[in-house]
Amino acid sequence: MWGRSASFLLDKRLRDQHPSLSSPSSSSPDSTMDPNPNPNHGVSAYYQTRAEHHAIVSSDWLAQAQAAVDREGDTALMEGPHASAAVSLSASKPFSVIDEFNYWRKKPDLAEAVAAIMALAAVIRSCEATTMMELEIELKKASDMLKSWDTTSISLSAGCDLFMRYVTRTSAVEYEDFHAAKLRLIERGEKFGEISMKARRTIAMLGQDFVFDGCTILVHGFSRVVLEVLKLAASNRKLFRIFCTEGRPDKTGLRLSKELAALGVPVKLLIDSAVAYAMDEVDMVFVGADGVVESGGIINMMGTYQTALVAHSMNKPVYVAAESYKFARLYPLDQKDLEPALHPIDFGVPIPSGVEVETSARDYTPPQYLTLLFTDLGVLTPSVVSDELIQLYL
Amino acid sequence: MDPNPKPNHGISAYYQTREEHHAIISGDWLSQAQAAAAAGHPPERPPASAAALSAASKPFSVIDEFNHWRRKPDLAEAVAAIMALVAGIRSSDAATMMELEIELKKASDALKSWDTTSISLSAGCDLFMRYVTRTSALEYEDFHAAKLRLIERGEKFGEISLKARRTIAMLGQDFIFDGCTILVHGFSRVVFEVLQLAASNRKLFRVFCTEGRPDKTGLRLSKELATLGIPVKLLIDSAVAYAMDEVDMVLVGADGVVESGGIINMMGTYQIALVAHSMNKPVYVAAESYKFARLYPLDQKDLEPALRPIEFGVPIPAGVEIEKSARDYTPPQYLTLLFTDLGVLTPSVVSDELIQLYL
């Protein structure tokens, strides 16, 4: 079973692609910071990870993850690779935030931002600074490294920023003793990690209230938050049915329909072109988000904007399920105003030469097409998002 | 009456035919067809010798004739039906006008029941019937002269229909200006001819093709356009709204034009027209006049169901349904203009034209 786990698959892929990466390069002093082992700039690493997660996320995985989260003290999950290995390896292998991040990232139930938060919490724990200023500088360096690892991931950079602000809100002058201050920071860091991991359950409880008996829900993309909302609604014995869009080219609809069929929820698969055709019968649209921007709009898988536009023209509500660490300080003015995040599209036949392909993985949905956002801060309207952002980032 | 030899009620025969056509249509085919139509050669008929050989053993079958014409990829299905009906008149044994009309009606019904999902087929048959029987029988005392006149009118109708595409191409390419971006959905031979004519008139434009799941129409169309030297960009169906900012106009074909002025076309057309309308982009439809049908759908499900299988590449989990409809209905408020061989029409004018056609 280990052979099919996410970490094994990822490592195998890395080894196949970069056999020379077994030893870190030493061409320059800056390379002590591990570069992204997948510097494939044509393909967004964020969407590569999601694709790998999609391949193996299943109800069992999620149930195990939830059980692990519920366990007393959460100590088992909070330990990073360095807790046990610290004794044996501390001499030979310096602490690397990227390694820590990769360790957490490979768990399919953890969002990328949460993995980053765990990694940063571990940075504080293993930091050797003796003053507050030094600690903050180290934290900032680690945060920048994580952000540069994948510049296309909005939740990653937003998560890092929010963690930095949350953690350093402690006034340093309160504690004369540096070690007490450091302990306090570690405590706050771990608390933030916990909140982030439980965010999905909070959202599920809020969101499943909106699912009523006999309703039809249209879902686009494969969001773990949305899946949890639907799972909770199904376990509360609500009767509803789901329309899944096919989700080219990631096949998200097929994976989601498999999960939902296992829960006993009636599912219907639509090709992406059939959304307007089926929109008459739909009561509400549920999507996740890769990022929530200052205007209250969202950035999500390609096709979300189109679905929201069609739903809005037919007066169907569009609900977004997004954790609060996805709130980012961005304000896109149009579709192309985002960092390009590309992913390859397989058409099944060779593309004729001279033909371009639009390979962007995501689009921006303006706030006027969204009805409500379910977040762990509560159920918000898009106009309230900017207020919340100010409070988060103050 | 020969029933449809492939009575697979799960799959619309009309879309099966289109699928076969898509596989072999290319720019060369179409230019050959154009050349043939321009040269005025009547399309080849099945050799008369074969008729003599098999006349005893095999009675004339309008379905066989129809199948013979239908397989030519440059012929629209309605035109094939018209050819088959003309052949029906030619080989009829009737001695009076009434008998001939009854035979024609029977043949027309046989064709229509062969595929109940094809709108242009039944519209074409109806229009042919009306066009042909508009000849007053009283003018000719001699039955054979009347029959010859009918055959002549029938062949003329077939010719008009074959040339319809060229008329539409000439009208449509006027709307393409230098530097414009056109979004195309589906693989319509009429639309392809419009673009081909515009390209040969040295207009500079680029085309966005939607992928056209599951028929892969976008891939086939992009291959054809690339050989014409037109810059093409392929979009997945989800990316239409994303790319709509850069688009100047949307161009689609139609499987049928209904009384309200709306169109029935490949699944996805309604969605694209809706998105284009919300962003104030014009939607142009290229449709021949024999596609005008006496239908008035009130919503998406008010059509004869036309299903076709969808290949997802992986097995579908048990208990999961699939929406297999091949087409949707686009209401007239989302359409800007229709290019037809009767001229460039607005959707509201379509019902007037229909009345004139069917009077």
Side-chain angles (χ1 to χ4, degrees):
Chain A
M1 190 188 107
W2 174 77
R4 282 185 281 124
S5 74
S7 40
F8 178 75
L9 285 172
L10 265 178
D11 284 343
K12 188 166 179 302
R13 247 187 93 213
L14 288 177
R15 273 199 304 276
D16 291 339
Q17 282 183 359
H18 300 277
S20 62
L21 259 184
S22 52
S23 57
S25 65
S26 52
S27 50
S28 67
D30 287 325
S31 66
T32 47
M33 327 241 157
D34 298 357
N36 182 347
N38 271 355
N40 185 350
H41 298 291
V43 181
S44 156
Y46 175 66
Y47 287 95
Q48 269 185 321
T49 313
R50 282 201 75 84
E52 281 149 23
H53 283 176
H54 287 160
I56 40 175
V57 173
S58 67
S59 318
D60 300 325
W61 265 110
L62 278 177
Q64 283 174 30
Q66 265 193 334
V69 168
D70 290 340
R71 266 203 302 267
E72 175 72 22
D74 297 343
T75 48
L77 271 182
M78 299 297 279
E79 285 178 16
H82 294 272
S84 51
V87 173
S88 51
L89 294 175
S90 53
S92 54
K93 193 170 170 213
F95 176 79
S96 156
V97 70
I98 297 287
D99 285 345
E100 185 81 23
F101 175 61
N102 280 332
Y103 166 78
W104 287 109
R105 189 175 57 89
K106 284 170 191 155
K107 296 184 191 306
D109 51 289
L110 271 191
E112 204 171 70
V114 181
I117 287 161
M118 296 298 182
L120 290 174
V123 163
I124 304 178
R125 208 180 295 123
S126 66
C127 160
E128 288 150 8
T130 47
T131 66
M132 211 57 196
M133 193 62 115
E134 229 180 298
L135 179 62
E136 276 183 38
I137 290 175
E138 259 201 56
L139 210 48
K140 181 92 179 51
K141 265 191 345 196
S143 168
D144 287 341
M145 252 206 301
L146 282 174
K147 286 202 259 189
S148 66
W149 181 84
D150 179 6
T151 51
T152 65
S153 173
I154 297 171
S155 58
L156 179 59
S157 63
C160 289
D161 283 343
L162 286 168
F163 180 83
M164 294 287 294
R165 284 180 149 74
Y166 186 84
V167 154
T168 56
R169 209 181 281 185
T170 313
S171 164
V173 299
E174 289 178 33
Y175 299 94
E176 306 217 348
D177 182 12
F178 172 70
H179 291 287
K182 186 172 165 180
L183 278 174
R184 180 120 172 90
L185 279 184
I186 293 173
E187 193 188 312
R188 285 181 75 88
E190 286 178 1
K191 182 149 178 255
F192 193 76
E194 231 180 272
I195 292 174
S196 305
M197 283 212 279
K198 291 199 180 128
R200 278 199 205 133
R201 272 200 300 169
T202 320
I203 294 172
M205 288 195 304
L206 290 170
Q208 63 93 28
D209 272 337
F210 285 77
V211 177
F212 54 88
D213 273 341
C215 72
T216 303
I217 305 177
L218 178 74
V219 183
H220 181 68
F222 188 52
S223 161
R224 290 161 287 194
V225 196
V226 171
L227 182 60
E228 200 148 327
V229 174
L230 297 175
K231 269 175 60 169
L232 192 59
S235 64
N236 287 347
R237 299 182 182 279
K238 296 205 177 187
L239 304 166
F240 56 97
R241 63 170 178 161
I242 304 279
F243 285 178
C244 289
T245 55
E246 188 195 357
R248 281 275 288 152
D250 306 322
K251 295 194 178 46
T252 56
L254 292 162
R255 301 187 212 273
L256 185 64
S257 63
K258 195 159 64 168
E259 293 303 315
L260 291 170
L263 294 173
V265 177
V267 188
K268 191 170 195 181
L269 266 174
L270 312 169
I271 52 174
D272 299 329
S273 294
V275 166
Y277 177 85
M279 191 56 84
D280 265 340
E281 306 175 42
V282 163
D283 293 305
M284 63 183 88
V285 179
F286 261 32
V287 290
D290 292 337
V292 179
V293 295
E294 277 192 46
S295 56
I298 58 166
I299 296 173
N300 198 20
M301 174 175 168
M302 177 66 81
T304 308
Y305 175 33
Q306 186 160 285
T307 308
L309 210 155
V310 172
H312 177 81
S313 78
M314 299 203 210
N315 291 321
K316 310 286 181 181
V318 178
Y319 299 134
V320 177
E323 301 96 310
S324 59
Y325 53 75
K326 289 179 175 166
F327 283 28
R329 303 217 61 186
L330 292 171
Y331 206 113
L333 299 173
D334 65 7
Q335 296 299 327
K336 309 294 191 299
D337 205 2
L338 308 165
E339 182 98 23
L342 310 176
H343 65 161
I345 302 183
D346 178 28
F347 286 104
V349 290
I351 305 294
S353 62
V355 174
E356 286 180 67
V357 181
E358 176 62 66
T359 45
S360 177
R362 60 194 184 186
D363 59 20
Y364 162 63
T365 307
Q368 60 261 32
Y369 300 116
L370 307 174
T371 317
L372 290 176
L373 287 92
F374 303 148
T375 71
D376 46 306
L377 305 169
V379 177
L380 315 173
T381 55
S383 38
V384 164
V385 165
S386 49
D387 293 342
E388 290 292 334
L389 264 171
I390 291 171
Q391 286 186 23
L392 280 174
Y393 277 92
L394 249 187
Chain B
M1 323 233 161
D2 301 357
N4 183 344
K6 279 199 264 187
N8 186 349
H9 299 291
I11 302 179
S12 156
Y14 174 66
Y15 288 94
Q16 272 184 318
T17 313
R18 283 203 73 87
E19 184 66 37
E20 282 152 28
H21 285 176
H22 286 159
I24 42 178
I25 279 183
S26 69
D28 300 327
W29 263 111
L30 278 178
S31 31
Q32 281 175 31
Q34 269 183 332
H41 295 148
E44 26 153 308
R45 306 189 197 121
S49 53
L53 276 175
S54 53
S57 52
K58 196 172 167 214
F60 175 79
S61 156
V62 70
I63 300 287
D64 286 342
E65 187 79 23
F66 174 60
N67 279 331
H68 168 260
W69 290 111
R70 188 173 59 87
R71 299 223 168 86
K72 296 185 191 299
D74 51 291
L75 272 190
E77 204 169 76
V79 180
I82 290 161
M83 296 298 180
L85 290 173
V86 169
I89 300 177
R90 207 178 289 121
S91 65
S92 150
D93 299 326
T96 65
M97 210 55 194
M98 192 62 114
E99 230 181 298
L100 185 60
E101 276 183 38
I102 291 174
E103 262 198 48
L104 212 46
K105 182 91 176 55
K106 271 193 337 195
S108 169
D109 288 342
L111 280 174
K112 286 202 258 189
S113 65
W114 183 83
D115 180 7
T116 50
T117 66
S118 172
I119 297 169
S120 56
L121 176 59
S122 62
C125 289
D126 284 342
L127 285 167
F128 180 77
M129 293 290 294
R130 284 180 149 75
Y131 185 81
V132 153
T133 56
R134 211 181 282 182
T135 314
S136 167
L138 295 168
E139 290 176 32
Y140 299 92
E141 305 216 352
D142 182 12
F143 172 70
H144 289 289
K147 189 169 163 184
L148 278 173
R149 180 121 172 87
L150 277 184
I151 293 173
E152 192 190 313
R153 285 180 75 89
E155 285 178 357
K156 183 150 176 254
F157 194 78
E159 235 180 84
I160 291 174
S161 307
L162 277 180
K163 291 196 183 135
R165 274 195 212 134
R166 269 200 309 160
T167 319
I168 294 172
M170 286 196 306
L171 291 171
Q173 61 93 28
D174 271 337
F175 285 78
I176 299 176
F177 52 89
D178 274 341
C180 73
T181 303
I182 307 176
L183 178 73
V184 182
H185 181 66
F187 191 6
S188 160
R189 290 161 286 195
V190 196
V191 168
F192 182 54
E193 202 153 322
V194 173
L195 297 175
Q196 205 179 24
L197 191 59
S200 63
N201 288 346
R202 299 181 181 280
K203 296 204 175 185
L204 303 166
F205 58 97
R206 65 172 176 161
V207 178
F208 286 179
C209 289
T210 55
E211 188 195 359
R213 281 274 289 153
D215 306 321
K216 296 193 176 50
T217 56
L219 292 163
R220 302 187 213 267
L221 184 63
S222 63
K223 191 161 66 166
E224 296 309 316
L225 292 173
T227 51
L228 292 175
I230 301 174
V232 189
K233 191 170 194 182
L234 266 174
L235 313 169
I236 52 175
D237 299 327
S238 295
V240 167
Y242 178 85
M244 191 58 81
D245 264 339
E246 305 175 42
V247 164
D248 293 306
M249 64 181 86
V250 178
L251 192 54
V252 291
D255 290 337
V257 179
V258 295
E259 277 191 47
S260 57
I263 59 166
I264 297 174
N265 198 19
M266 175 175 167
M267 177 66 80
T269 308
Y270 176 33
Q271 187 160 285
I272 291 175
L274 213 153
V275 172
H277 179 81
S278 77
M279 299 204 212
N280 291 320
K281 309 285 181 183
V283 178
Y284 298 134
V285 177
E288 300 96 310
S289 60
Y290 53 74
K291 288 179 175 165
F292 285 26
R294 302 217 62 184
L295 293 171
Y296 206 114
L298 300 173
D299 65 6
Q300 296 299 327
K301 309 293 191 302
D302 205 3
L303 306 164
E304 183 95 23
L307 311 176
R308 47 118 170 75
I310 302 184
E311 178 69 35
F312 284 104
V314 290
I316 304 299
V320 173
E321 285 180 66
I322 307 178
E323 178 58 67
K324 289 200 286 253
S325 177
R327 60 193 185 186
D328 58 21
Y329 161 63
T330 307
Q333 60 262 31
Y334 301 115
L335 307 174
T336 317
L337 289 175
L338 287 94
F339 304 149
T340 72
D341 46 308
L342 305 169
V344 177
L345 315 172
T346 56
S348 39
V349 164
V350 165
S351 50
D352 291 342
E353 290 292 333
L354 264 170
I355 291 171
Q356 288 186 20
L357 280 172
Y358 278 92
L359 249 185

